[in-house]
Amino acid sequence: MTEPSWHVVARFDDVAKDDVVAATIGDAALAIVRTNDNRVFVLDATCTHGRASLADGFVDGTEIECPKHNGRFEVTTGEAVASPARAALRTYPCRLSDGCIEVQL
Amino acid sequence: MRDYTVGGPEAKNATANNLVEADWYKPHVERETMKALMARSNGIAARDTILWLVLLVGSGILAYRSWGSWWAVPAFALYGVMYGSASDARWHECGHRTAFRSRLANDVIYHVAAFMDFREPISWRWSHARHHSDTIIVGRDPEIAFQRGAPLVNTFLELFAVRTIIAESKKLFLNAVGRPTKEQADFQPAEEMRGSIWWSRVYILAFAGVITWCIAAGSVLPAMFIGLPTIYGRWLMVVYGITQHAGLAEDVLDHRLNTRTVMMNRVNRFMYLNMNYHLEHHIFPTVPYHALPKLHATVADQLPTPHRSIWHAIREILPTLVKQRNDQSVVLARVVP
């Protein structure tokens, strides 16, 4: 099994406050979220309910809303907090390094 | 006539044709613009909800005071429309949780409006999610209200919720004893049935209470305020509703071909909470109702020309429904930019 390693997914400045951008590492489609207080979280981009990319979603505080069915997830934990989302999203460790966002996977 | 049963034979065809949970056409909108359009507002939603409640309660007081006179007719007509039609748009917008920023406020109004619409709130949330996944995909979408080839009398009966009340009553009684309908089992996870069971029992008890109240009072008046407005006040919701998808394409992955935008005046847009921008709503369901006019202006050059009025839309819809009664291949084509 391959050891997890750190990958640069975006420049911090390229992600606006209260927003999300898409990134891809290998087969993994990721959503990079920056909250209003400049915290960054990385989650699977594909909604666990329907086939939609959360990278097109709406960031509201520490929640992200699916653009297709309005299901919501807590970005700090990946927990589904509003139906029709029920299953949690996978989250990934991330860090800032030299102005870049790195994710471990 | 095609079999519109959810989970029926057409569902297999939809899967085989890659129409299930598929990628849909989206117009281009700059991310910054989209972000601004998606912003929620408790203030705007509170203003519009208070106005609706004032009209509902005010017309209700007038109706109560005029009971026994001819003035009761217009008073109940207004009350009924506020209860049985305006509630539909509130149910819908709060179901998407886009009306208010507050989830609690959305959920409270959602449940109140669902009761007024005679919709068990849990199953309808899942039904509507499916409607957005697979809009007008036959065999998948549980909310295809105007089915090709269906007797036209159905449309007339729907003005008074006749078929809806029969179907929903059956579902309530089945759910109350723990059984989902066959179609419901297709779009609602089994784990979510607990909520449907609970709410079905609440609804049955509530309506039994109203009937008991009427019998005890020796008057239909209590039911004129709770329950019956779903029937006598529903017609406007059906007028709005028929403009959404009727007569347009089935089994396509482009909302521009199966959903309509119809320009409406300020009063209708208040009653309908801007759902006349239905095409824009289906493409971007995270945009709250109050931002839909701006969204419409942003993407207008990428969408078909909207209808200029309700009447303009109905003038193309009704003759098409008549034609589809005998020839289900008839479809209203759309010119897309």
Side-chain angles (χ1 to χ4, degrees):
Chain A
M1 187 176 161
T2 317
E3 282 292 308
S5 56
W6 290 95
H7 305 264
V8 174
V9 284
R11 288 191 55 77
F12 180 72
D13 290 342
D14 290 344
V15 189
K17 282 185 178 183
D18 280 328
D19 207 0
V20 55
V21 299
T24 306
I25 299 290
D27 292 336
L30 305 173
I32 320 297
V33 176
R34 177 175 166 186
T35 58
N36 192 261
D37 56 1
N38 287 321
R39 288 184 292 159
V40 174
F41 301 92
V42 179
L43 310 96
D44 270 338
T46 306
C47 180
T48 58
H49 162 251
R51 198 162 155 267
S53 174
L54 293 165
D56 296 325
F58 172 56
V59 175
D60 186 9
T62 59
E63 293 180 359
I64 187 164
E65 184 177 280
C66 171
K68 195 155 188 177
H69 304 98
N70 309 87
R72 282 191 172 217
F73 300 89
E74 170 64 39
V75 298
T76 58
T77 61
E79 181 193 0
V81 293
S83 64
R86 296 174 67 246
L89 276 174
R90 185 174 173 189
T91 59
Y92 298 89
C94 63
R95 68 185 183 192
L96 287 177
S97 176
D98 289 335
C100 290
I101 300 166
E102 295 182 344
V103 58
Q104 188 184 42
L105 79 165
Chain B
M1 185 175 160
R2 295 186 77 180
D3 186 343
Y4 285 82
T5 307
V6 176
E10 290 287 355
K12 291 191 183 77
N13 295 335
T15 304
N17 293 324
N18 298 317
L19 294 169
V20 176
E21 289 278 348
D23 289 327
W24 287 67
Y25 164 82
K26 275 201 176 192
H28 174 73
V29 181
E30 292 295 334
R31 179 66 189 173
E32 273 306 304
T33 306
M34 199 62 215
K35 216 174 117 181
L37 288 167
M38 289 190 289
R40 309 295 151 79
S41 165
N42 282 331
I44 297 171
R47 177 200 68 192
D48 291 342
T49 302
I50 288 167
L51 180 56
W52 169 54
L53 291 174
V54 165
L55 288 166
L56 179 78
V57 173
S59 59
I61 291 169
L62 284 176
Y64 180 76
R65 291 196 167 182
S66 59
W67 183 245
S69 79
W70 282 105
W71 287 110
V73 175
F76 273 107
L78 180 59
Y79 176 80
V81 162
M82 290 297 156
Y83 182 115
S85 286
S87 60
D88 174 62
R90 278 76 192 162
W91 165 82
H92 175 263
E93 191 71 17
C94 292
H96 281 281
R97 299 193 181 91
T98 42
F100 297 87
R101 185 170 184 214
S102 156
R103 192 182 308 152
L104 177 65
N106 281 319
D107 286 348
V108 168
I109 298 298
Y110 174 77
H111 282 88
V112 170
F115 182 81
M116 292 174 170
D117 286 337
F118 197 56
R119 289 181 180 141
E120 186 279 298
I122 308 300
S123 62
W124 275 90
R125 202 188 275 285
W126 288 97
S127 159
H128 200 63
R130 172 67 70 82
H131 174 59
H132 273 269
S133 290
D134 300 324
T135 308
I136 319 297
I137 303 293
V138 178
R140 292 284 301 173
D141 185 349
E143 298 184 7
I144 304 180
F146 300 94
Q147 302 174 349
R148 292 184 195 176
L152 293 172
V153 71
N154 288 1
T155 305
F156 177 76
L157 291 174
E158 210 40 45
L159 288 168
F160 307 101
V162 174
R163 289 164 54 80
T164 293
I165 283 181
I166 292 169
E168 193 68 7
S169 298
K170 182 183 161 195
K171 180 151 70 82
L172 285 179
F173 282 110
L174 278 173
N175 284 188
V177 295
R179 287 175 55 198
T181 66
K182 203 173 167 188
E183 294 205 345
Q184 188 183 3
D186 193 77
F187 59 75
Q188 182 176 348
E191 299 84 350
E192 295 286 326
M193 268 307 291
R194 197 182 156 121
S196 289
I197 292 168
W198 194 87
W199 278 109
S200 295
R201 290 172 181 169
V202 168
Y203 274 36
I204 289 168
L205 279 174
F207 288 111
V210 172
I211 291 167
T212 306
W213 188 3
C214 287
I215 292 168
S219 166
V220 74
L221 189 57
M224 287 295 287
F225 285 101
I226 306 167
L228 288 179
T230 305
I231 297 172
Y232 71 75
R234 185 182 171 90
W235 64 272
L236 187 57
M237 168 187 148
V238 178
V239 171
Y240 295 150
I242 201 171
T243 67
Q244 295 177 352
H245 308 284
L248 294 171
E250 294 175 339
D251 299 342
V252 292
L253 298 178
D254 186 339
H255 291 108
R256 296 176 300 176
L257 304 177
N258 69 12
T259 307
R260 243 184 226 95
T261 280
V262 179
M263 305 313 283
M264 294 187 187
N265 64 35
R266 205 173 267 266
V267 173
N268 282 316
R269 286 196 289 115
F270 164 75
M271 296 293 284
Y272 196 24
L273 286 186
N274 282 339
M275 272 308 119
N276 54 305
Y277 298 105
H278 209 65
L279 172 53
E280 291 83 351
H281 164 70
H282 262 277
I283 297 174
F284 296 111
T286 43
V287 174
Y289 73 96
H290 55 77
L292 286 176
K294 277 187 196 158
L295 173 62
H296 171 74
T298 304
V299 296
D301 61 341
Q302 300 172 68
L303 305 183
T305 307
H307 289 268
R308 55 180 179 267
S309 67
I310 296 175
W311 177 237
H312 185 245
I314 285 180
R315 259 193 339 204
E316 80 160 11
I317 294 165
L318 290 183
T320 304
L321 293 181
V322 171
K323 287 179 196 161
Q324 286 178 340
R325 180 82 181 101
N326 297 315
D327 180 359
Q328 289 161 47
S329 67
V330 171
V331 60
L332 286 165
R334 281 289 172 264
V335 178
V336 295

